[in-house]
Amino acid sequence: MSSAPTTLPNNNAAATAGGATPSPTFSPLYQQIKALITRSLQSGEWRPGELIPSEVELANRFKVSQGTVRKAIDELSAENLVVRRQGKGTFVATHHEARAQFRFLRLKPDVGEPLYPDNTIIDAKRLRAPADIARQLDIKTGDSVVFLKRMQSFDNAPTILEELWLPGTIFKGLSVERVLQYKGPMYALLETEFGTQMIRAVENIKAVVADQVTADLLQLPLNTPLLSVTRVSFTYGDKPVEVRRSYYVTNNHHYRNDLN
Amino acid sequence: MSSAPTTLPNNNAAATAGGATPSPTFSPLYQQIKALITRSLQSGEWRPGELIPSEVELANRFKVSQGTVRKAIDELSAENLVVRRQGKGTFVATHHEARAQFRFLRLKPDVGEPLYPDNTIIDAKRLRAPADIARQLDIKTGDSVVFLKRMQSFDNAPTILEELWLPGTIFKGLSVERVLQYKGPMYALLETEFGTQMIRAVENIKAVVADQVTADLLQLPLNTPLLSVTRVSFTYGDKPVEVRRSYYVTNNHHYRNDLN
DNA sequence: TAGTGGTCTAGACCACGCT
DNA sequence: GCGTGGTCTAGACCACTAG
């Protein structure tokens, strides 16, 4: 009573050039497709903001059904690597958008709508990575890093004071002058100038009190309580590409987090 | 060249008893199925920890394909209302598990693995809801609430001091004695005793310094910086059922958050 | 009107957990 | 061996966008 198989047996081909050995670790087809699409995103075959090929087109290219491509893109969409728009297509995510502006910023005003920050660069230079920064950036102590110190104000109230470290090798052409003149969101700059996309980040939060220097810059009394937020941002392949140490003033703002 | 339709036209039947009027707001079938399953969860037809009917069984019950049920359960699983286990079935989520223990707790030790807290109840009583609490619980000022104050210690170090407010009408039979003798996780108690499942929560975080009372209880110097975490927890239907105001000591711990 | 993502179906086989 | 969730396919129709 056996019926003729209408589907192919499970294999690991998926239209790759170099035939991969049939690994014992099983991986679903849609995961392989997802990896292939991710590689194209990473390589810049489709740039941020651009339209990627339609699902049918990708299905043809990879010799799989549309449903399999769909499931792959579903996950990429859930991870914010791409954005679906019904009737139009699927687009590569970009930090050059109003909505993306606040993607990683959890600090919200206690009352009213979020405002756009005014950025002021306090310091910008190249230096050798301290041990702790190097460890978090997965580089060697003493390697070149770009260092930035800046202030973000909302409605003319100094609210965020932060220091950023970026690996010098990745952002080789990032000049101090370029940073000083730039006013927009940092991740948009890194995206267009270096093709480095921030995909996800991890934040560690502690409570501290302001020392004299910090208090002066934030125009607060000494010992004012502040949120200390240390962020590590990652690009494709879970590669860390930014360490950011921020102080958040929470007198009129709060850090908001949704738990599911 | 028209082919015979193999699928039903879009309707809003979905095996409901009282025939709903075909509303102008279109809702996909799987969303309707999801709502039906959610209702069964809420009503207690399947209790926390229990196995729910298999996908095929639900498909038969609702007169839809397995794929549609699957997509509904996919979303419920993503929202942590149910847990899938391949080869075994789909289970109703419960707070009576080691993994669920830390589901809403973002405070992690700086080094080492998370430990289970020792809970000490400092105060437990019924009182009339203050205005701000009432507003957050969506009840009237002066309505009865259960008030709890407790301390959580990790490795004998006082780390979390918190106050909880629960609506008196929902947790009517919750006696002070019951709370004082109970040692396990709060949400597990509320789940088994009152059938109230905590589904999601929102946290607002600020930095503060310890006043004398707080400092004494936490065995810290006056003015030690602390995280002030205000949480509102919700059950089915986005109904708020808990307000929790906590102070986190971040000398050896940090609040961890993943950004996507 | 054509093209895209979104929904829905029916059926097959695979991986897993238990008996 | 059987039942469960997990993967994959092929094909149809619906909802939305734009030329």
Side-chain angles (χ1 to χ4, degrees):
Chain A
M1 299 299 178
S2 68
S3 57
T6 59
T7 60
L8 297 167
N10 173 35
N11 62 48
N12 284 23
T16 11
T21 49
S23 53
T25 59
F26 165 73
S27 167
L29 233 197
Y30 76 87
Q31 287 287 4
Q32 303 174 41
I33 303 300
K34 182 184 170 190
L36 290 173
I37 296 175
T38 302
R39 194 197 297 175
S40 290
L41 290 170
Q42 180 172 9
S43 74
E45 179 179 341
W46 314 307
R47 306 195 65 87
E50 280 184 10
L51 186 65
I52 77 171
S54 76
E55 295 178 353
V56 253
E57 202 171 328
L58 290 171
N60 292 335
R61 177 190 300 196
F62 297 132
K63 305 285 182 239
V64 298
S65 78
Q66 183 188 354
T68 300
V69 171
R70 175 154 258 282
K71 181 142 189 179
I73 295 182
D74 274 349
E75 292 204 352
L76 293 172
S77 176
E79 294 168 17
N80 293 309
L81 296 191
V82 299
V83 177
R84 293 173 175 289
R85 287 195 225 282
Q86 180 172 144
K88 299 174 77 172
T90 302
F91 297 81
V92 183
T94 175
H95 288 277
H96 289 275
E97 285 181 18
R99 340 187 299 276
Q101 186 78 261
F102 301 102
R103 176 162 159 209
F104 291 107
L105 182 60
R106 290 291 180 273
L107 193 70
K108 311 290 180 190
D110 289 338
V111 295
E113 287 302 297
L115 301 173
Y116 288 91
D118 288 324
N119 295 336
T120 309
I121 303 289
I122 296 172
D123 197 1
K125 58 191 174 193
R126 287 187 168 263
L127 44 78
R128 310 244 155 238
D132 54 340
I133 299 294
R135 185 175 42 76
Q136 295 184 92
L137 286 177
D138 199 20
I139 60 179
K140 285 196 290 292
T141 302
D143 280 1
S144 170
V145 291
V146 176
F147 170 83
L148 287 177
K149 185 168 185 173
R150 71 169 182 179
M151 169 104 76
Q152 298 194 278
S153 298
F154 296 93
D155 217 1
N156 289 321
T159 306
I160 299 178
L161 178 65
E162 56 192 5
E163 298 178 326
L164 287 70
W165 287 264
L166 306 164
T169 41
I170 294 178
F171 304 104
K172 209 176 179 68
L174 184 59
S175 69
V176 170
E177 294 73 26
R178 183 77 184 87
V179 168
L180 285 174
Q181 72 167 59
Y182 182 74
K183 301 303 285 180
M186 183 57 54
Y187 293 163
L189 173 73
L190 302 179
E191 174 182 300
T192 28
E193 301 273 314
F194 302 94
T196 298
Q197 277 267 49
M198 298 299 184
I199 300 304
R200 68 176 191 92
V202 174
E203 292 191 330
N204 282 0
I205 308 172
K206 284 171 175 270
V208 299
V209 291
D211 59 22
Q212 194 61 62
V213 175
T214 305
D216 288 347
L217 284 167
L218 288 170
Q219 300 170 25
L220 294 170
L222 183 68
N223 290 333
T224 301
L226 300 171
L227 287 187
S228 160
V229 181
T230 301
R231 178 194 295 175
V232 180
S233 304
F234 300 84
T235 187
Y236 293 99
D238 264 344
K239 184 179 175 59
V241 283
E242 181 205 41
V243 171
R244 183 183 290 210
R245 293 188 178 161
S246 308
Y247 294 109
Y248 290 178
V249 180
T250 55
N251 295 343
N252 300 110
H253 292 74
H254 59 270
Y255 187 103
R256 158 139 183 168
N257 196 24
D258 292 304
L259 309 177
N260 305 301
Chain B
M1 300 296 180
S2 67
S3 56
T6 59
T7 60
L8 296 169
N10 175 36
N11 62 48
N12 286 22
T16 10
T21 49
S23 53
T25 58
F26 165 74
S27 168
L29 233 196
Y30 76 88
Q31 287 287 4
Q32 303 174 40
I33 303 300
K34 181 184 170 189
L36 290 174
I37 297 176
T38 302
R39 195 197 298 173
S40 289
L41 290 170
Q42 181 172 8
S43 75
E45 179 178 340
W46 314 308
R47 306 195 65 86
E50 281 183 10
L51 185 65
I52 76 170
S54 75
E55 295 178 355
V56 244
E57 202 170 330
L58 289 172
N60 292 335
R61 175 190 302 195
F62 297 132
K63 304 290 183 229
V64 298
S65 78
Q66 182 187 354
T68 300
V69 171
R70 175 153 259 281
K71 182 145 187 177
I73 296 182
D74 275 349
E75 292 202 353
L76 293 172
S77 175
E79 294 167 16
N80 292 309
L81 296 192
V82 299
V83 177
R84 293 174 176 288
R85 288 195 225 281
Q86 181 171 142
K88 298 175 77 174
T90 302
F91 298 80
V92 183
T94 176
H95 289 277
H96 289 275
E97 285 182 17
R99 340 188 298 276
Q101 186 80 258
F102 301 103
R103 176 160 159 211
F104 291 111
L105 182 59
R106 289 291 181 273
L107 193 70
K108 310 290 178 191
D110 289 339
V111 295
E113 287 302 299
L115 302 174
Y116 290 92
D118 288 324
N119 295 336
T120 309
I121 303 289
I122 297 172
D123 197 359
K125 57 190 174 194
R126 289 187 168 263
L127 43 79
R128 310 244 157 239
D132 54 339
I133 298 294
R135 184 175 43 76
Q136 295 185 93
L137 286 178
D138 198 20
I139 60 178
K140 286 197 289 291
T141 302
D143 279 1
S144 170
V145 291
V146 176
F147 171 83
L148 287 177
K149 184 166 184 173
R150 70 169 183 180
M151 169 104 77
Q152 298 194 280
S153 298
F154 297 92
D155 216 2
N156 288 321
T159 306
I160 299 179
L161 178 65
E162 58 192 3
E163 298 176 327
L164 287 68
W165 288 264
L166 306 165
T169 43
I170 295 178
F171 304 104
K172 210 175 181 64
L174 184 59
S175 69
V176 170
E177 294 72 27
R178 182 77 183 87
V179 167
L180 285 173
Q181 71 166 59
Y182 183 74
K183 303 302 287 179
M186 184 57 52
Y187 293 164
L189 174 72
L190 302 180
E191 176 181 298
T192 26
E193 301 274 314
F194 303 93
T196 298
Q197 275 269 44
M198 298 299 185
I199 300 304
R200 68 175 192 93
V202 173
E203 291 192 330
N204 282 1
I205 308 171
K206 285 172 175 271
V208 299
V209 292
D211 59 21
Q212 194 61 61
V213 174
T214 305
D216 287 348
L217 284 167
L218 288 170
Q219 301 171 24
L220 294 170
L222 182 68
N223 292 331
T224 301
L226 301 171
L227 288 187
S228 160
V229 181
T230 300
R231 178 193 296 177
V232 181
S233 303
F234 300 85
T235 187
Y236 293 100
D238 264 344
K239 183 179 177 59
V241 282
E242 182 205 42
V243 172
R244 183 183 290 211
R245 292 189 179 161
S246 309
Y247 294 110
Y248 290 177
V249 179
T250 56
N251 295 342
N252 299 109
H253 293 74
H254 59 271
Y255 188 103
R256 159 142 183 166
N257 196 22
D258 291 305
L259 309 177
N260 306 299

